[in-house]
Amino acid sequence: MTREPDLFDAPSADPEDAITLAAYAERKGVTLLLEELKVTTTNVLITSKDLAKMIAEIDSPAVVGMVDMDQMTYAGETIDDYFANLGDKLQHIHFNDRGHTVPGDADFPMKEYYDQIKAHGYEGTCSFEICDRRYYIDPDKAIDDTVAWMRAN
């Protein structure tokens, strides 16, 4: 992807709004996570470079970035890209397989992703954004399968 967007080129995006929100978050002791989305969803934050640029433009300790395995892979990026572009501003990970499924239920190289995250010494937070419809009937199984995958890897 070679796109170099103006990060505030969306019709409703105004850098002052983000800066105002960040200042409020600072006063309240809250951390705001910026997450990339697919190009089919937005034209603002699509890659780790987009996140890094916006975080730098906002320039607040209350604003950090995160990575979602599904969004990352769709954009053609890697775990290494996120660590290189965000550094210590990478503060959260959505660890899910393709389509926001349980690790191992789809075709992403989840063990490779997991090993790369560990190799970077990541100690931030992680969640499993498991929201594929196949899990609606038995969400407990999705949790059990996620735990089993983590224990096995």
Side-chain angles (χ1 to χ4, degrees), residues 102-130:
V102 168
D105 273 6
D107 62 348
F108 286 168
M110 298 306 292
K111 173 69 169 131
E112 181 181 318
Y113 290 168
Y114 185 61
D115 290 344
Q116 290 171 352
I117 291 165
K118 290 191 312 185
H120 280 280
Y122 180 74
E123 294 184 4
T125 58
C126 179
S127 63
F128 302 92
E129 187 181 30
I130 308 302

PDB file of all heavy atoms in Angstrom, residues 102-130:
ATOM      1  N   VAL A 102     -11.177 -17.214  16.669  1.00  0.00           N
ATOM      2  CA  VAL A 102     -10.285 -17.783  17.671  1.00  0.00           C
ATOM      3  C   VAL A 102      -8.947 -18.131  17.012  1.00  0.00           C
ATOM      4  O   VAL A 102      -8.924 -18.647  15.885  1.00  0.00           O
ATOM      5  CB  VAL A 102     -10.929 -19.055  18.273  1.00  0.00           C
ATOM      6  CG1 VAL A 102      -9.933 -19.851  19.105  1.00  0.00           C
ATOM      7  CG2 VAL A 102     -12.163 -18.686  19.092  1.00  0.00           C
ATOM      8  N   PRO A 103      -7.824 -17.849  17.679  1.00  0.00           N
ATOM      9  CA  PRO A 103      -6.536 -18.261  17.121  1.00  0.00           C
ATOM     10  C   PRO A 103      -6.560 -19.756  16.763  1.00  0.00           C
ATOM     11  O   PRO A 103      -6.959 -20.585  17.567  1.00  0.00           O
ATOM     12  CB  PRO A 103      -5.538 -17.983  18.260  1.00  0.00           C
ATOM     13  CG  PRO A 103      -6.176 -16.878  19.043  1.00  0.00           C
ATOM     14  CD  PRO A 103      -7.657 -17.159  18.971  1.00  0.00           C
ATOM     15  N   GLY A 104      -6.175 -20.038  15.522  1.00  0.00           N
ATOM     16  CA  GLY A 104      -6.172 -21.417  15.045  1.00  0.00           C
ATOM     17  C   GLY A 104      -7.422 -21.817  14.290  1.00  0.00           C
ATOM     18  O   GLY A 104      -7.449 -22.871  13.664  1.00  0.00           O
ATOM     19  N   ASP A 105      -8.475 -20.992  14.333  1.00  0.00           N
ATOM     20  CA  ASP A 105      -9.709 -21.334  13.624  1.00  0.00           C
ATOM     21  C   ASP A 105      -9.699 -20.886  12.163  1.00  0.00           C
ATOM     22  O   ASP A 105     -10.617 -21.207  11.413  1.00  0.00           O
ATOM     23  CB  ASP A 105     -10.937 -20.714  14.317  1.00  0.00           C
ATOM     24  CG  ASP A 105     -11.492 -21.606  15.416  1.00  0.00           C
ATOM     25  OD1 ASP A 105     -10.873 -22.637  15.720  1.00  0.00           O
ATOM     26  OD2 ASP A 105     -12.554 -21.255  15.965  1.00  0.00           O
ATOM     27  N   ALA A 106      -8.719 -20.112  11.761  1.00  0.00           N
ATOM     28  CA  ALA A 106      -8.643 -19.650  10.374  1.00  0.00           C
ATOM     29  C   ALA A 106      -7.221 -19.883   9.867  1.00  0.00           C
ATOM     30  O   ALA A 106      -6.534 -20.777  10.354  1.00  0.00           O
ATOM     31  CB  ALA A 106      -9.087 -18.196  10.262  1.00  0.00           C
ATOM     32  N   ASP A 107      -6.751 -19.050   8.937  1.00  0.00           N
ATOM     33  CA  ASP A 107      -5.500 -19.368   8.257  1.00  0.00           C
ATOM     34  C   ASP A 107      -4.329 -18.420   8.514  1.00  0.00           C
ATOM     35  O   ASP A 107      -3.316 -18.503   7.841  1.00  0.00           O
ATOM     36  CB  ASP A 107      -5.754 -19.462   6.759  1.00  0.00           C
ATOM     37  CG  ASP A 107      -6.249 -18.153   6.161  1.00  0.00           C
ATOM     38  OD1 ASP A 107      -6.618 -17.232   6.908  1.00  0.00           O
ATOM     39  OD2 ASP A 107      -6.279 -18.054   4.917  1.00  0.00           O
ATOM     40  N   PHE A 108      -4.444 -17.525   9.488  1.00  0.00           N
ATOM     41  CA  PHE A 108      -3.295 -16.684   9.811  1.00  0.00           C
ATOM     42  C   PHE A 108      -2.227 -17.515  10.514  1.00  0.00           C
ATOM     43  O   PHE A 108      -2.553 -18.456  11.244  1.00  0.00           O
ATOM     44  CB  PHE A 108      -3.689 -15.528  10.735  1.00  0.00           C
ATOM     45  CG  PHE A 108      -4.459 -14.413  10.090  1.00  0.00           C
ATOM     46  CD1 PHE A 108      -5.062 -13.453  10.883  1.00  0.00           C
ATOM     47  CD2 PHE A 108      -4.584 -14.293   8.717  1.00  0.00           C
ATOM     48  CE1 PHE A 108      -5.763 -12.404  10.324  1.00  0.00           C
ATOM     49  CE2 PHE A 108      -5.288 -13.252   8.140  1.00  0.00           C
ATOM     50  CZ  PHE A 108      -5.888 -12.299   8.959  1.00  0.00           C
ATOM     51  N   PRO A 109      -0.960 -17.142  10.359  1.00  0.00           N
ATOM     52  CA  PRO A 109       0.118 -17.852  11.066  1.00  0.00           C
ATOM     53  C   PRO A 109       0.199 -17.377  12.526  1.00  0.00           C
ATOM     54  O   PRO A 109       1.125 -16.672  12.930  1.00  0.00           O
ATOM     55  CB  PRO A 109       1.357 -17.465  10.265  1.00  0.00           C
ATOM     56  CG  PRO A 109       1.042 -16.096   9.737  1.00  0.00           C
ATOM     57  CD  PRO A 109      -0.435 -16.109   9.456  1.00  0.00           C
ATOM     58  N   MET A 110      -0.778 -17.755  13.316  1.00  0.00           N
ATOM     59  CA  MET A 110      -0.917 -17.218  14.673  1.00  0.00           C
ATOM     60  C   MET A 110       0.275 -17.554  15.575  1.00  0.00           C
ATOM     61  O   MET A 110       0.697 -16.727  16.374  1.00  0.00           O
ATOM     62  CB  MET A 110      -2.223 -17.694  15.307  1.00  0.00           C
ATOM     63  CG  MET A 110      -3.479 -17.232  14.562  1.00  0.00           C
ATOM     64  SD  MET A 110      -3.576 -15.433  14.313  1.00  0.00           S
ATOM     65  CE  MET A 110      -3.791 -14.863  15.980  1.00  0.00           C
ATOM     66  N   LYS A 111       0.816 -18.735  15.436  1.00  0.00           N
ATOM     67  CA  LYS A 111       1.994 -19.104  16.243  1.00  0.00           C
ATOM     68  C   LYS A 111       3.160 -18.191  15.883  1.00  0.00           C
ATOM     69  O   LYS A 111       3.882 -17.711  16.764  1.00  0.00           O
ATOM     70  CB  LYS A 111       2.345 -20.586  16.007  1.00  0.00           C
ATOM     71  CG  LYS A 111       3.637 -21.036  16.656  1.00  0.00           C
ATOM     72  CD  LYS A 111       3.550 -21.082  18.161  1.00  0.00           C
ATOM     73  CE  LYS A 111       4.762 -21.793  18.734  1.00  0.00           C
ATOM     74  NZ  LYS A 111       5.383 -21.039  19.815  1.00  0.00           N
ATOM     75  N   GLU A 112       3.328 -17.917  14.598  1.00  0.00           N
ATOM     76  CA  GLU A 112       4.386 -17.005  14.159  1.00  0.00           C
ATOM     77  C   GLU A 112       4.147 -15.597  14.727  1.00  0.00           C
ATOM     78  O   GLU A 112       5.074 -14.964  15.223  1.00  0.00           O
ATOM     79  CB  GLU A 112       4.410 -16.968  12.636  1.00  0.00           C
ATOM     80  CG  GLU A 112       5.473 -16.073  12.035  1.00  0.00           C
ATOM     81  CD  GLU A 112       5.404 -16.069  10.511  1.00  0.00           C
ATOM     82  OE1 GLU A 112       5.206 -17.151   9.918  1.00  0.00           O
ATOM     83  OE2 GLU A 112       5.532 -14.981   9.931  1.00  0.00           O
ATOM     84  N   TYR A 113       2.916 -15.123  14.647  1.00  0.00           N
ATOM     85  CA  TYR A 113       2.589 -13.807  15.209  1.00  0.00           C
ATOM     86  C   TYR A 113       2.899 -13.773  16.703  1.00  0.00           C
ATOM     87  O   TYR A 113       3.495 -12.826  17.219  1.00  0.00           O
ATOM     88  CB  TYR A 113       1.111 -13.466  15.007  1.00  0.00           C
ATOM     89  CG  TYR A 113       0.683 -13.181  13.594  1.00  0.00           C
ATOM     90  CD1 TYR A 113      -0.664 -13.107  13.282  1.00  0.00           C
ATOM     91  CD2 TYR A 113       1.591 -12.987  12.556  1.00  0.00           C
ATOM     92  CE1 TYR A 113      -1.097 -12.837  11.995  1.00  0.00           C
ATOM     93  CE2 TYR A 113       1.161 -12.718  11.258  1.00  0.00           C
ATOM     94  CZ  TYR A 113      -0.182 -12.646  10.993  1.00  0.00           C
ATOM     95  OH  TYR A 113      -0.616 -12.382   9.720  1.00  0.00           O
ATOM     96  N   TYR A 114       2.469 -14.805  17.403  1.00  0.00           N
ATOM     97  CA  TYR A 114       2.685 -14.892  18.846  1.00  0.00           C
ATOM     98  C   TYR A 114       4.180 -14.865  19.181  1.00  0.00           C
ATOM     99  O   TYR A 114       4.618 -14.118  20.066  1.00  0.00           O
ATOM    100  CB  TYR A 114       2.017 -16.168  19.367  1.00  0.00           C
ATOM    101  CG  TYR A 114       2.055 -16.344  20.857  1.00  0.00           C
ATOM    102  CD1 TYR A 114       1.451 -15.435  21.711  1.00  0.00           C
ATOM    103  CD2 TYR A 114       2.670 -17.460  21.426  1.00  0.00           C
ATOM    104  CE1 TYR A 114       1.468 -15.613  23.085  1.00  0.00           C
ATOM    105  CE2 TYR A 114       2.688 -17.651  22.794  1.00  0.00           C
ATOM    106  CZ  TYR A 114       2.084 -16.728  23.624  1.00  0.00           C
ATOM    107  OH  TYR A 114       2.111 -16.914  24.974  1.00  0.00           O
ATOM    108  N   ASP A 115       4.962 -15.646  18.456  1.00  0.00           N
ATOM    109  CA  ASP A 115       6.409 -15.688  18.687  1.00  0.00           C
ATOM    110  C   ASP A 115       7.060 -14.339  18.386  1.00  0.00           C
ATOM    111  O   ASP A 115       7.972 -13.903  19.100  1.00  0.00           O
ATOM    112  CB  ASP A 115       7.062 -16.787  17.846  1.00  0.00           C
ATOM    113  CG  ASP A 115       6.704 -18.187  18.336  1.00  0.00           C
ATOM    114  OD1 ASP A 115       6.221 -18.332  19.481  1.00  0.00           O
ATOM    115  OD2 ASP A 115       6.894 -19.145  17.545  1.00  0.00           O
ATOM    116  N   GLN A 116       6.603 -13.655  17.350  1.00  0.00           N
ATOM    117  CA  GLN A 116       7.159 -12.332  17.017  1.00  0.00           C
ATOM    118  C   GLN A 116       6.840 -11.313  18.108  1.00  0.00           C
ATOM    119  O   GLN A 116       7.693 -10.505  18.472  1.00  0.00           O
ATOM    120  CB  GLN A 116       6.622 -11.852  15.669  1.00  0.00           C
ATOM    121  CG  GLN A 116       7.169 -12.627  14.501  1.00  0.00           C
ATOM    122  CD  GLN A 116       6.455 -12.289  13.196  1.00  0.00           C
ATOM    123  OE1 GLN A 116       5.454 -11.591  13.165  1.00  0.00           O
ATOM    124  NE2 GLN A 116       6.987 -12.819  12.105  1.00  0.00           N
ATOM    125  N   ILE A 117       5.630 -11.358  18.621  1.00  0.00           N
ATOM    126  CA  ILE A 117       5.246 -10.448  19.705  1.00  0.00           C
ATOM    127  C   ILE A 117       6.134 -10.691  20.921  1.00  0.00           C
ATOM    128  O   ILE A 117       6.665  -9.756  21.513  1.00  0.00           O
ATOM    129  CB  ILE A 117       3.750 -10.618  20.045  1.00  0.00           C
ATOM    130  CG1 ILE A 117       2.886 -10.096  18.890  1.00  0.00           C
ATOM    131  CG2 ILE A 117       3.403  -9.917  21.348  1.00  0.00           C
ATOM    132  CD1 ILE A 117       1.430 -10.545  18.948  1.00  0.00           C
ATOM    133  N   LYS A 118       6.306 -11.948  21.279  1.00  0.00           N
ATOM    134  CA  LYS A 118       7.174 -12.289  22.420  1.00  0.00           C
ATOM    135  C   LYS A 118       8.612 -11.869  22.158  1.00  0.00           C
ATOM    136  O   LYS A 118       9.287 -11.362  23.059  1.00  0.00           O
ATOM    137  CB  LYS A 118       7.097 -13.785  22.728  1.00  0.00           C
ATOM    138  CG  LYS A 118       5.774 -14.207  23.313  1.00  0.00           C
ATOM    139  CD  LYS A 118       5.752 -15.625  23.871  1.00  0.00           C
ATOM    140  CE  LYS A 118       6.321 -16.655  22.963  1.00  0.00           C
ATOM    141  NZ  LYS A 118       6.204 -18.036  23.451  1.00  0.00           N
ATOM    142  N   ALA A 119       9.100 -12.052  20.931  1.00  0.00           N
ATOM    143  CA  ALA A 119      10.482 -11.699  20.595  1.00  0.00           C
ATOM    144  C   ALA A 119      10.745 -10.201  20.765  1.00  0.00           C
ATOM    145  O   ALA A 119      11.875  -9.797  21.052  1.00  0.00           O
ATOM    146  CB  ALA A 119      10.817 -12.140  19.171  1.00  0.00           C
ATOM    147  N   HIS A 120       9.714  -9.396  20.592  1.00  0.00           N
ATOM    148  CA  HIS A 120       9.858  -7.952  20.787  1.00  0.00           C
ATOM    149  C   HIS A 120       9.796  -7.569  22.266  1.00  0.00           C
ATOM    150  O   HIS A 120       9.949  -6.390  22.598  1.00  0.00           O
ATOM    151  CB  HIS A 120       8.778  -7.190  20.011  1.00  0.00           C
ATOM    152  CG  HIS A 120       9.096  -7.051  18.558  1.00  0.00           C
ATOM    153  ND1 HIS A 120       9.966  -6.103  18.077  1.00  0.00           N
ATOM    154  CD2 HIS A 120       8.679  -7.760  17.480  1.00  0.00           C
ATOM    155  CE1 HIS A 120      10.052  -6.218  16.760  1.00  0.00           C
ATOM    156  NE2 HIS A 120       9.298  -7.220  16.378  1.00  0.00           N
ATOM    157  N   GLY A 121       9.563  -8.546  23.141  1.00  0.00           N
ATOM    158  CA  GLY A 121       9.498  -8.264  24.574  1.00  0.00           C
ATOM    159  C   GLY A 121       8.239  -7.514  24.976  1.00  0.00           C
ATOM    160  O   GLY A 121       8.219  -6.854  26.016  1.00  0.00           O
ATOM    161  N   TYR A 122       7.201  -7.627  24.201  1.00  0.00           N
ATOM    162  CA  TYR A 122       5.957  -6.904  24.473  1.00  0.00           C
ATOM    163  C   TYR A 122       5.387  -7.285  25.832  1.00  0.00           C
ATOM    164  O   TYR A 122       5.257  -8.457  26.150  1.00  0.00           O
ATOM    165  CB  TYR A 122       4.926  -7.204  23.379  1.00  0.00           C
ATOM    166  CG  TYR A 122       3.613  -6.490  23.578  1.00  0.00           C
ATOM    167  CD1 TYR A 122       3.509  -5.128  23.333  1.00  0.00           C
ATOM    168  CD2 TYR A 122       2.490  -7.173  24.027  1.00  0.00           C
ATOM    169  CE1 TYR A 122       2.302  -4.460  23.519  1.00  0.00           C
ATOM    170  CE2 TYR A 122       1.290  -6.517  24.209  1.00  0.00           C
ATOM    171  CZ  TYR A 122       1.201  -5.163  23.960  1.00  0.00           C
ATOM    172  OH  TYR A 122       0.007  -4.510  24.149  1.00  0.00           O
ATOM    173  N   GLU A 123       5.070  -6.277  26.636  1.00  0.00           N
ATOM    174  CA  GLU A 123       4.486  -6.508  27.952  1.00  0.00           C
ATOM    175  C   GLU A 123       3.192  -5.739  28.146  1.00  0.00           C
ATOM    176  O   GLU A 123       2.711  -5.593  29.271  1.00  0.00           O
ATOM    177  CB  GLU A 123       5.495  -6.144  29.041  1.00  0.00           C
ATOM    178  CG  GLU A 123       6.705  -7.050  29.044  1.00  0.00           C
ATOM    179  CD  GLU A 123       7.677  -6.761  30.183  1.00  0.00           C
ATOM    180  OE1 GLU A 123       7.384  -5.896  31.019  1.00  0.00           O
ATOM    181  OE2 GLU A 123       8.720  -7.418  30.213  1.00  0.00           O
ATOM    182  N   GLY A 124       2.619  -5.243  27.053  1.00  0.00           N
ATOM    183  CA  GLY A 124       1.361  -4.503  27.136  1.00  0.00           C
ATOM    184  C   GLY A 124       0.177  -5.442  27.222  1.00  0.00           C
ATOM    185  O   GLY A 124       0.314  -6.646  27.413  1.00  0.00           O
ATOM    186  N   THR A 125      -0.991  -4.877  27.057  1.00  0.00           N
ATOM    187  CA  THR A 125      -2.211  -5.665  27.165  1.00  0.00           C
ATOM    188  C   THR A 125      -2.573  -6.319  25.836  1.00  0.00           C
ATOM    189  O   THR A 125      -2.129  -5.902  24.778  1.00  0.00           O
ATOM    190  CB  THR A 125      -3.388  -4.794  27.641  1.00  0.00           C
ATOM    191  OG1 THR A 125      -3.572  -3.720  26.715  1.00  0.00           O
ATOM    192  CG2 THR A 125      -3.130  -4.236  29.034  1.00  0.00           C
ATOM    193  N   CYS A 126      -3.385  -7.341  25.959  1.00  0.00           N
ATOM    194  CA  CYS A 126      -3.816  -8.108  24.794  1.00  0.00           C
ATOM    195  C   CYS A 126      -5.247  -8.563  25.054  1.00  0.00           C
ATOM    196  O   CYS A 126      -5.597  -8.895  26.187  1.00  0.00           O
ATOM    197  CB  CYS A 126      -2.902  -9.325  24.636  1.00  0.00           C
ATOM    198  SG  CYS A 126      -3.310 -10.397  23.262  1.00  0.00           S
ATOM    199  N   SER A 127      -6.055  -8.536  24.029  1.00  0.00           N
ATOM    200  CA  SER A 127      -7.403  -9.084  24.150  1.00  0.00           C
ATOM    201  C   SER A 127      -7.695  -9.917  22.907  1.00  0.00           C
ATOM    202  O   SER A 127      -7.000  -9.822  21.900  1.00  0.00           O
ATOM    203  CB  SER A 127      -8.443  -7.978  24.330  1.00  0.00           C
ATOM    204  OG  SER A 127      -8.494  -7.136  23.197  1.00  0.00           O
ATOM    205  N   PHE A 128      -8.712 -10.707  23.024  1.00  0.00           N
ATOM    206  CA  PHE A 128      -9.111 -11.580  21.931  1.00  0.00           C
ATOM    207  C   PHE A 128     -10.437 -11.049  21.399  1.00  0.00           C
ATOM    208  O   PHE A 128     -11.474 -11.281  22.012  1.00  0.00           O
ATOM    209  CB  PHE A 128      -9.220 -13.027  22.419  1.00  0.00           C
ATOM    210  CG  PHE A 128      -7.930 -13.514  22.991  1.00  0.00           C
ATOM    211  CD1 PHE A 128      -7.650 -13.396  24.340  1.00  0.00           C
ATOM    212  CD2 PHE A 128      -6.964 -14.059  22.167  1.00  0.00           C
ATOM    213  CE1 PHE A 128      -6.432 -13.814  24.858  1.00  0.00           C
ATOM    214  CE2 PHE A 128      -5.745 -14.492  22.671  1.00  0.00           C
ATOM    215  CZ  PHE A 128      -5.479 -14.357  24.025  1.00  0.00           C
ATOM    216  N   GLU A 129     -10.369 -10.327  20.297  1.00  0.00           N
ATOM    217  CA  GLU A 129     -11.573  -9.747  19.709  1.00  0.00           C
ATOM    218  C   GLU A 129     -12.219 -10.816  18.822  1.00  0.00           C
ATOM    219  O   GLU A 129     -12.021 -10.865  17.617  1.00  0.00           O
ATOM    220  CB  GLU A 129     -11.218  -8.496  18.899  1.00  0.00           C
ATOM    221  CG  GLU A 129     -12.438  -7.760  18.408  1.00  0.00           C
ATOM    222  CD  GLU A 129     -12.094  -6.544  17.597  1.00  0.00           C
ATOM    223  OE1 GLU A 129     -11.033  -6.519  16.927  1.00  0.00           O
ATOM    224  OE2 GLU A 129     -12.891  -5.604  17.620  1.00  0.00           O
ATOM    225  N   ILE A 130     -12.972 -11.660  19.481  1.00  0.00           N
ATOM    226  CA  ILE A 130     -13.583 -12.807  18.822  1.00  0.00           C
ATOM    227  C   ILE A 130     -15.051 -12.445  18.564  1.00  0.00           C
ATOM    228  O   ILE A 130     -15.873 -12.463  19.472  1.00  0.00           O
ATOM    229  CB  ILE A 130     -13.496 -14.070  19.718  1.00  0.00           C
ATOM    230  CG1 ILE A 130     -12.062 -14.310  20.195  1.00  0.00           C
ATOM    231  CG2 ILE A 130     -14.072 -15.268  18.999  1.00  0.00           C
ATOM    232  CD1 ILE A 130     -11.037 -14.470  19.123  1.00  0.00           C
TER     233      ILE A 130
END
